[in-house]
Amino acid sequence: MFTNKNEFIKDFKRKMEEEYGRELGYAHPSEKYIVLGKMVREFASKHWRQTKQEVSGQKQKQMYYFSMEFLIGRLLTNNLMNLGIYNVVKEGLDELGIDINELEELESDAGLGNGGLGRLAACFLDSLASLSLPGNGNCIRYEYGLFRQKIVEGRQTEVPDQWLALGNVWEVRKPKHAVEVPFWGRVEVHRNEDGTMSFEHVDCEYVKAVPYDVPVVGRKTVQTNTLRLWSAEASENLPVNKDFRTYIQDVHEICQNVYPDDSTEHGRYLRLKQEYFFVASGLKALIKAHLRVYPSLDNFAEKIVIQLNDTHPVLCIPELMRILMDEYHYLWEDAWKITSSCMAYTNHTVMAEALERWPVDMVQSLLPRVYMIIEEIHNRFLIEVRDRFADSALQYQVSIIRDGQVHMAHLAVVGAFSVNGVAKIHTEILKNDVMAPFYKVFPEKFSNKTNGITHRRWLVYSNPQLRALLADTIGEDYIKDPLKLDELRKFAKDKEIQKRFMQVKRERKIILADYIKKNLDIEVSPDFIFDVQAKRLHAYKRQLLNVLHIIYLYQKMKADPSFRIVPRAYLFAAKAAPAYYFAKAVIKLINDVSVKVNSDPDTKDYLKVVFLPNYSVSLAEILMNAADVSEQISTAGKEASGTGNMKFMMNGALTLGTLDGANVEIDALVGRDNDVIFGYTVEELAALRESYDVWKIFGENKELANAIDALVDGTFNENREEFKVIYDELMYKNDEYFVLGDFEAYRKAQSETQSRYQDSAKWAESMLINIACSGYFSSDRTVQEYVRDIWHIGTMKKRD
């Protein structure tokens, strides 16, 4: 099919006729894309089948990554490149007069996630397949993703993300593997003749879970793993006490959106229902697959390891216990030994609101049998803690059920054999603060696994200009072994290479500037510094600190005609949760500042502000490789790791950041000459917190005070109440995330960045050093550490 150009052309024409009953010349572009995508999937299916047969035939141990998100982006280019057939397809399409880029643009980003959590999961799948490791994903097939963000009069509005409008050419529906998932109902307890007790979940409402499998193609390997996506459909066991239309609506809701609004009770029930839905479905499928190869579940933990990506899949623990005890009649002790030997938990946050807690009555009513098991785990664990420590305060701190709520992170630590953080500083905060009581009980469980990104997507495939430069300097061995990027160091001072790299960066900036012009009708010169902050909108990520500094620059240039900056474009991309009022107000502020600044004749030649709507993987692929400066300015101790910082770094941007998350490790690798670090540290903030006084800082820094007053004095919006919520968070809620406290250090850091940029040779050297050091942050390295320390899975043979 893809042996050569002519064979491809022949098969492409034939497939078009078979699929749509028309000749190629009459086909719509969407039909060409669909036919091409299906051809690529069919080509990958040979290795897909082979992988499944070899894994079961060789009785290999497998890892299953349970995650509420897999932000896989577009797959056409990635799969063509990984399969080594991109050039054949491009040449064939060229001969047919078809632009491959136009077909690539027709593919929608898969609406399977929101941010770093989902992108990390996708990077891991890419690395697992490329390293010939048997690792698969388990998630929900969301019909409308998170949402498509539109900016209307400066405000975020949310519309459905109809990413399945053309279908999904990569998925295969597997109705024969559908399972039934029960909700609601009650538990009947029966005493058996041998004195044991059995439990039956009755009067429940069933939902059919139907799997859609997506092949995960590795680069130059026969290994083709599976991302399984579950879709909710009506069960044949219809509820007798509910109107059919209401039941169908409830079923369809389960897979409509990522993270439904949990500000209402209905939304909270829906989130919990989603979590159990994909957990219960995934576990049933794993157990069925295991029993097709082995006679019993006795060796389940020897052949399966389940990685819980944050707290969303933690119901795996009680659900596996339920299956083992209620369906396969294991005693509690034996079921617990299997369960606690195959579950591993990754924590992704130190933010209290993100550590999920569910009201007891909610879990009890929606999942009655599962709640009984959680309660038993809780009781048995507290007995163990009491016997070991005789410390009542510790017992309370580590309780799974506490204050009328089920604490999912606590359940995860108790039920998993491994607990890991995702950056060195994050793991230390877990051990010494957020999870210190559990670290006292289970010190052996805790480890660090610093996050990573797939360099194939984020450098090799998305930045062909940089790839060409690397090929001419260090060759392409780094594609297989990303640590070999370090060989670029010896070229960092080479004037000719510096010049070539700055041209590469300029080409990428032109591509982004053209995108901004086409989509937003804003002119941005590639001669400006491109200063980018692209991440989920949250108070702790401090987009507000960035925009306050922009306001300060604008006001200073207006007040002092002699004060001018090196021309700089501040680029933002972020989505705010629909119910997060503060975050949406910050988006409105950025857009209102943009309108004012970009149209002011006194400043527009020096200062531009652009908010890029609907941040996605595809947008990130053109945004990150165009950046000069990577804004990583979260409050120290709040960001678990970050992965955007790694993507920017891998494409040469300098980190302007705090000592937070993976910034700490970036700083250690590149050195202070090649990044700009500012702000209070975690330790300094802990000492400062009690005495922190925003009004004192406000009174002592007139320029900062003027910038803050501009929020409510009509400068950027004639409605002076528009940004009152932001003003109040800073001034009347004592600035929880130390925006004022870090402002002056941030201002100096921005000035330092500008000074460095003016020395073009030194700037190019720093960018090249960042790229050279970025190999450490490949997800290949991260996955290999998981394999070595947690998963213990083996590799399969590679294709030449």
Side-chain angles (χ1 to χ4, degrees):
M1 189 184 296
F2 295 101
T3 304
N4 56 58
K5 176 182 67 175
N6 294 330
E7 184 181 340
F8 166 72
I9 291 172
K10 178 183 174 182
D11 284 340
F12 189 59
K13 289 179 176 178
R14 178 176 58 81
K15 289 282 188 181
M16 181 63 69
E17 292 176 4
E18 291 174 350
E19 186 80 17
Y20 290 105
R22 65 178 69 195
E23 292 182 3
L24 186 61
Y26 295 96
H28 188 271
S30 63
E31 294 170 339
K32 297 173 187 175
Y33 158 71
I34 290 169
V35 167
L36 177 59
K38 288 184 176 180
M39 287 175 67
V40 176
R41 191 195 72 211
E42 289 173 12
F43 183 72
S45 291
K46 175 184 174 183
H47 295 310
W48 202 7
R49 173 185 55 79
Q50 183 180 344
T51 297
K52 293 173 185 176
Q53 289 176 343
E54 290 187 3
V55 168
S56 61
Q58 298 172 15
K59 296 186 176 181
Q60 285 189 293
K61 185 177 184 180
Q62 299 181 77
M63 189 282 299
Y64 289 87
Y65 204 80
F66 276 52
S67 176
M68 282 287 281
E69 300 182 44
F70 280 90
L71 209 58
I72 57 178
R74 297 171 177 171
L75 292 179
L76 180 57
T77 303
N78 193 76
N79 286 346
L80 288 171
M81 292 282 194
N82 276 354
L83 289 166
I85 58 176
Y86 185 90
N87 290 335
V88 169
V89 171
K90 185 178 186 305
E91 289 168 9
L93 292 176
D94 285 345
E95 188 158 312
L96 293 168
I98 301 170
D99 184 351
I100 193 172
N101 294 325
E102 290 183 7
L103 300 189
E104 290 168 332
E105 287 299 315
L106 286 171
E107 183 175 11
S108 295
D109 279 51
L112 300 176
N114 174 30
L117 186 82
R119 188 52 235 168
L120 178 76
C123 285
F124 279 8
L125 287 190
D126 180 83
S127 287
L128 282 158
S130 296
L131 293 168
S132 297
L133 292 163
N136 306 288
N138 189 75
C139 189
I140 291 175
R141 183 181 183 266
Y142 301 104
E143 191 174 359
Y144 298 110
L146 183 69
F147 58 81
R148 181 170 291 276
Q149 181 192 57
K150 291 189 174 181
I151 302 299
V152 179
E153 296 181 347
R155 301 182 192 281
Q156 171 180 295
T157 59
E158 303 90 25
V159 298
D161 176 11
Q162 300 185 59
W163 71 281
L164 289 169
L166 295 179
N168 181 2
V169 298
W170 309 111
E171 67 186 14
V172 179
R173 188 172 186 267
K174 299 284 187 72
K176 73 174 184 178
H177 295 307
V179 298
E180 298 281 308
V181 180
F183 297 100
W184 310 107
R186 58 191 175 84
V187 177
E188 288 186 352
V189 183
H190 306 283
R191 186 169 294 278
N192 303 317
E193 291 182 0
D194 61 0
T196 60
M197 292 170 37
S198 58
F199 301 84
E200 184 181 5
H201 189 181
V202 300
D203 298 335
C204 45
E205 183 178 296
Y206 287 100
V207 174
K208 181 192 288 186
V210 180
Y212 288 71
D213 286 356
V214 177
V216 181
V217 177
R219 187 177 192 278
K220 292 189 177 180
T221 173
V222 299
Q223 187 82 14
T224 302
N225 294 325
T226 301
L227 170 58
R228 173 157 283 186
L229 307 173
W230 293 96
S231 182
E233 297 183 8
S235 169
E236 293 179 6
N237 300 312
L238 295 174
V240 296
N241 58 349
K242 181 179 282 190
D243 173 72
F244 180 71
R245 284 181 292 184
T246 303
Y247 168 69
I248 288 296
Q249 181 179 334
D250 289 348
V251 169
H252 287 168
E253 262 192 326
I254 294 173
C255 297
Q256 277 187 349
N257 295 103
V258 187
Y259 303 135
D261 179 9
D262 62 354
S263 63
T264 65
E265 183 178 57
H266 176 76
R268 289 192 290 275
Y269 267 108
L270 182 55
R271 279 209 189 188
L272 183 58
K273 189 180 280 190
Q274 283 186 332
E275 292 183 6
Y276 183 68
F277 173 77
F278 96 100
V279 156
S281 307
L283 284 175
K284 286 183 178 182
L286 289 193
I287 286 171
K288 285 182 180 179
H290 183 85
L291 291 175
R292 285 196 292 269
V293 179
Y294 304 100
S296 77
L297 296 172
D298 291 355
N299 67 337
F300 187 80
E302 297 170 25
K303 297 299 180 179
I304 299 291
V305 59
I306 297 170
Q307 190 69 42
L308 308 174
N309 195 28
D310 219 351
T311 53
H312 313 118
V314 168
L315 286 171
C316 272
I317 293 167
E319 175 62 11
L320 182 55
M321 290 291 292
R322 185 199 66 76
I323 293 171
L324 291 170
M325 293 189 299
D326 295 358
E327 297 182 20
Y328 294 93
H329 313 297
Y330 280 80
L331 297 176
W332 177 279
E333 291 76 11
D334 296 328
W336 184 248
K337 182 178 179 181
I338 293 170
T339 300
S340 60
S341 298
C342 71
M343 299 288 174
Y345 164 57
T346 298
N347 175 278
H348 282 278
T349 185
V350 299
M351 303 294 290
E353 68 267 23
L355 294 168
E356 286 187 307
R357 300 181 297 274
W358 295 110
V360 164
D361 59 350
M362 186 177 289
V363 183
Q364 206 166 20
S365 58
L366 186 66
L367 310 170
R369 177 59 178 142
V370 167
Y371 177 75
M372 290 175 67
I373 293 170
I374 293 173
E375 193 171 44
E376 184 68 12
I377 294 171
H378 164 81
N379 290 333
R380 289 176 180 242
F381 174 58
L382 286 191
I383 291 171
E384 177 189 342
V385 174
R386 183 193 63 199
D387 291 346
R388 285 180 57 193
F389 297 96
D391 183 340
S392 58
L394 179 64
Q395 291 176 50
Y396 174 80
Q397 291 168 336
V398 299
S399 293
I400 295 170
I401 301 171
R402 191 176 78 196
D403 304 327
Q405 294 182 313
V406 178
H407 292 248
M408 303 304 286
H410 294 193
L411 178 58
V413 177
V414 173
F417 70 87
S418 168
V419 178
N420 72 275
V422 291
K424 288 179 180 177
I425 187 174
H426 169 237
T427 301
E428 290 306 305
I429 291 171
L430 291 180
K431 293 193 296 187
N432 299 321
D433 183 5
V434 177
M435 291 187 172
F438 282 102
Y439 185 59
K440 181 177 181 179
V441 178
F442 300 120
E444 73 284 355
K445 289 189 179 186
F446 285 77
S447 69
N448 176 64
K449 299 289 174 282
T450 297
N451 281 345
I453 59 171
T454 170
H455 60 290
R456 286 167 288 276
R457 178 180 287 267
W458 293 107
L459 191 164
V460 180
Y461 303 158
S462 63
N463 197 341
Q465 293 85 353
L466 179 54
R467 178 182 180 178
L469 174 62
L470 292 172
D472 290 344
T473 51
I474 63 172
E476 295 211 322
D477 287 350
Y478 74 90
I479 300 177
K480 181 179 179 181
D481 180 3
L483 290 177
K484 290 190 175 180
L485 281 169
D486 192 64
E487 294 174 12
L488 189 62
R489 279 181 181 271
K490 62 183 177 231
F491 296 95
K493 294 182 182 293
D494 185 307
K495 298 302 180 184
E496 184 59 32
I497 298 303
Q498 290 175 356
K499 182 179 177 182
R500 282 189 61 189
F501 174 74
M502 293 306 286
Q503 182 57 36
V504 164
K505 180 62 72 173
R506 182 175 175 80
E507 287 180 35
R508 298 308 311 184
K509 290 168 77 170
I510 289 170
I511 290 169
L512 178 58
D514 289 344
Y515 174 91
I516 293 170
K517 176 61 179 174
K518 178 182 176 181
N519 290 276
L520 301 174
D521 197 27
I522 299 174
E523 297 270 5
V524 179
S525 169
D527 294 324
F528 277 42
I529 301 173
F530 278 21
D531 184 307
V532 184
Q533 189 172 14
K535 52 184 72 243
R536 179 169 57 92
L537 205 308
H538 194 287
Y540 83 81
K541 294 178 185 286
R542 299 201 298 190
Q543 286 90 348
L544 181 56
L545 176 60
N546 192 342
V547 76
L548 280 175
H549 178 257
I550 294 168
I551 293 171
Y552 151 77
L553 290 176
Y554 175 68
Q555 290 178 328
K556 188 160 186 178
M557 282 195 286
K558 291 293 287 182
D560 181 1
S562 67
F563 175 77
R564 290 295 180 263
I565 62 173
V566 174
R568 195 173 190 126
Y570 288 92
L571 310 178
F572 294 86
K575 287 182 177 180
Y580 193 177
Y581 183 63
F582 171 85
K584 294 175 84 168
V586 173
I587 289 177
K588 171 64 171 167
L589 175 62
I590 294 168
N591 282 292
D592 283 4
V593 169
S594 173
V595 170
K596 183 88 168 179
V597 168
N598 295 352
S599 61
D600 192 318
D602 294 334
T603 60
K604 66 180 183 179
D605 292 334
Y606 300 93
L607 183 62
K608 287 287 177 73
V609 179
V610 180
F611 186 92
L612 294 119
N614 202 45
Y615 187 43
S616 64
V617 174
S618 296
L619 176 54
E621 286 173 348
I622 64 169
L623 182 61
M624 290 176 165
N625 51 38
D628 295 306
V629 178
S630 163
E631 295 266 1
Q632 307 298 329
I633 60 177
S634 52
T635 308
K638 298 300 182 184
E639 186 74 79
S641 169
T643 53
N645 46 8
M646 303 170 189
K647 295 161 196 165
F648 283 113
M649 174 196 191
M650 193 169 276
N651 286 276
L654 264 66
T655 300
L656 169 60
T658 53
L659 285 174
D660 194 28
N663 294 354
V664 176
E665 289 157 83
I666 291 174
D667 178 57
L669 284 170
V670 304
R672 289 292 166 92
D673 289 340
N674 303 300
D675 62 9
V676 181
I677 300 298
F678 75 96
Y680 288 113
T681 64
V682 172
E683 297 77 16
E684 288 168 343
L685 287 176
L688 174 65
R689 194 172 299 275
E690 291 300 316
S691 61
Y692 187 61
D693 184 350
V694 291
W695 287 105
K696 184 174 185 292
I697 300 169
F698 183 88
E700 292 174 349
N701 190 329
K702 188 174 188 307
E703 291 174 321
L704 172 59
N706 289 341
I708 293 172
D709 282 341
L711 300 175
V712 290
D713 67 5
T715 299
F716 297 105
N717 194 297
E718 41 185 53
N719 176 7
R720 299 188 177 205
E721 296 295 311
E722 185 70 55
F723 306 121
K724 188 70 161 52
V725 62
I726 300 175
Y727 185 90
D728 289 349
E729 283 289 333
L730 293 176
M731 305 310 302
Y732 294 111
K733 297 186 179 178
N734 209 38
D735 184 19
E736 181 179 0
Y737 298 108
F738 300 93
V739 172
L740 276 73
D742 270 344
F743 180 84
E744 186 59 22
Y746 179 60
R747 185 193 66 76
K748 291 177 180 176
Q750 284 278 6
S751 179
E752 170 67 15
T753 304
Q754 174 177 282
S755 297
R756 293 196 197 178
Y757 185 81
Q758 291 175 287
D759 183 345
S760 59
K762 178 58 181 171
W763 185 264
E765 179 185 341
S766 289
M767 283 185 148
L768 290 166
I769 288 173
N770 270 269
I771 296 167
C773 294
S774 68
Y776 173 79
F777 295 105
S778 168
S779 49
D780 288 10
R781 184 267 313 157
T782 313
V783 162
Q784 287 165 331
E785 290 183 3
Y786 275 94
V787 169
R788 181 193 67 205
D789 300 334
I790 300 173
W791 300 338
H792 306 296
I793 54 177
T795 60
M796 291 177 63
K797 60 188 178 184
K798 292 194 174 184
R799 179 176 72 236
D800 292 334

